[in-house]
Amino acid sequence: MKIPWLIASVALAFLSKSSAAEFHLTDKKSNIQSPAIKEASGLAVSPKNENFLWVINDSGGSPELHLIGTDGSERGKVKVTNAKNTDWEDLASFTLDGNSYLLIADTGDNNSKRKSVTLHILREPKLPADGQKLDGTVAADWHIDFTYEGGPRDCESVAVDSASGKIILISKRTKPPEVYELPLRAPKKKGVLVAKKIGQTAVTAPVSLPFADQPVSMDISEDRSLAAVVTYYGVFLFPHKSDESWADAFSHKPVPLGPHGIGQAESVAISKDGKSIYVVAEGKNSPIRIYQR
């Protein structure tokens, strides 16, 4: 009775990895055209319209959300009125109770000294009509202040699994990278939460390159079938089965998609239909790399 179950499990794992490996780097060429995006550190696909990408700048900048087209065209920005950009390092989009949201991860901590870090969660702003640019202000719906089990960590990889109500985080500078989780919903009691360590992972590049094995951004697909992690070398995919925990998924060897070919890549995002993966880098006029199924 165990043989058929074993064969089915092996087949499922093979198909899952094969599906992830179907992604390939396209030859589409475009760049971020907004002069205000100087240090892109987070990227997310709009849940409302897959032709739009949200972008944030790195530490010290104005607390703004920038909007661009998937072709890199500038589509405006909004200021988050009740948030400070201490060290914004990742951005995630998700749908919850029929509404689309964005999560800003103020989690950068190069020296692992911050007493606590913060996640800002807000409703996705209304997208501009054709020929118009976004302008105005928004406010975060809730904030999550937290630290990590085991002490402060530098973290640039944060993603949301809204179906399970979890936020997944991966540390950057620990060896190996550690995987943590937090509840997505705002806690009833105010105070600093503790992100629970649920496992560890590895993204090993086949070349010698600074930070090639350090996660600098992450995203989880809308259907929860995979997570994408980017390093300065390339993109790594972690297939995820419906009955599997994220701790288990990240414990397996990832599927490498090869080098993305851009310097200091900092952000990755998966389209809501799961067919495209976008990667951008820090610096002005960053190239937009696109992997497609």
Side-chain angles (χ1 to χ4, degrees):
M1 293 297 291
K2 294 182 179 180
I3 298 299
W5 176 87
L6 178 60
I7 293 173
S9 298
V10 172
L12 181 60
F14 174 78
L15 288 171
S16 182
K17 291 205 174 229
S18 297
S19 178
E22 288 175 359
F23 283 94
H24 65 281
L25 185 60
T26 71
D27 58 1
K28 294 181 180 179
K29 304 293 184 182
S30 59
N31 294 72
I32 294 178
Q33 298 169 23
S34 171
I37 301 174
K38 301 176 181 179
E39 231 181 338
S41 62
L43 182 73
V45 179
S46 166
K48 294 178 183 175
N49 187 328
E50 294 192 345
N51 293 315
F52 287 102
L53 301 172
W54 292 100
V55 186
I56 55 172
N57 277 319
D58 207 337
S59 60
S62 178
E64 294 172 335
L65 284 163
H66 299 266
L67 186 67
I68 64 173
T70 53
D71 60 355
S73 57
E74 181 185 1
R75 299 305 306 270
K77 63 184 180 180
V78 293
K79 183 176 182 180
V80 185
T81 58
N82 57 347
K84 179 183 177 181
N85 185 349
T86 302
D87 197 350
W88 287 9
E89 286 293 357
D90 210 355
L91 183 65
S93 62
F94 61 96
T95 301
L96 184 67
D97 298 332
N99 299 305
S100 58
Y101 287 86
L102 300 173
L103 179 149
I104 302 168
D106 192 343
T107 54
D109 190 7
N110 290 347
N111 298 314
S112 299
K113 291 183 177 180
R114 293 178 69 177
K115 292 182 179 180
S116 65
V117 291
T118 304
L119 304 174
H120 307 289
I121 298 95
L122 62 148
R123 289 278 188 96
E124 182 183 19
K126 183 179 179 180
L127 299 174
D130 290 344
Q132 296 183 352
K133 290 185 180 181
L134 192 64
D135 186 26
T137 61
V138 293
D141 288 62
W142 71 89
H143 313 268
I144 299 176
D145 298 316
F146 71 99
T147 186
Y148 300 86
E149 193 174 67
R153 297 285 188 269
D154 185 27
C155 174
E156 298 185 6
S157 302
V158 182
V160 174
D161 178 0
S162 58
S164 66
K166 300 291 184 181
I167 300 166
I168 308 298
L169 312 95
I170 300 180
S171 62
K172 178 180 178 181
R173 301 180 190 273
T174 57
K175 294 184 179 180
E178 299 169 338
V179 184
Y180 295 83
E181 72 174 23
L182 282 165
L184 175 58
R185 295 284 189 176
K188 293 182 180 180
K189 294 183 179 180
K190 293 184 178 181
V192 178
L193 299 184
V194 177
K196 179 183 177 183
K197 181 180 176 181
I198 60 173
Q200 60 189 39
T201 190
V203 281
T204 305
V207 297
S208 177
L209 181 72
F211 311 111
D213 299 337
Q214 293 184 351
V216 293
S217 182
M218 171 176 59
D219 198 13
I220 291 173
S221 64
E222 182 81 0
D223 65 2
R224 307 174 71 240
S225 66
L226 61 85
V229 174
V230 69
T231 73
Y232 285 176
Y233 164 76
V235 176
F236 298 83
L237 300 185
F238 291 85
H240 175 251
K241 293 179 286 188
S242 59
D243 60 347
E244 184 179 39
S245 69
W246 283 110
D248 288 338
F250 283 114
S251 70
H252 301 315
K253 186 176 180 180
V255 178
L257 297 186
H260 42 57
I262 55 176
Q264 201 166 342
E266 282 284 336
S267 309
V268 66
I270 304 173
S271 64
K272 298 309 170 183
D273 63 7
K275 295 180 179 180
S276 301
I277 298 174
Y278 301 91
V279 178
V280 299
E282 287 193 345
K284 294 181 179 180
N285 303 119
S286 166
I288 302 174
R289 290 288 183 265
I290 304 174
Y291 294 83
Q292 287 187 328
R293 265 188 174 134

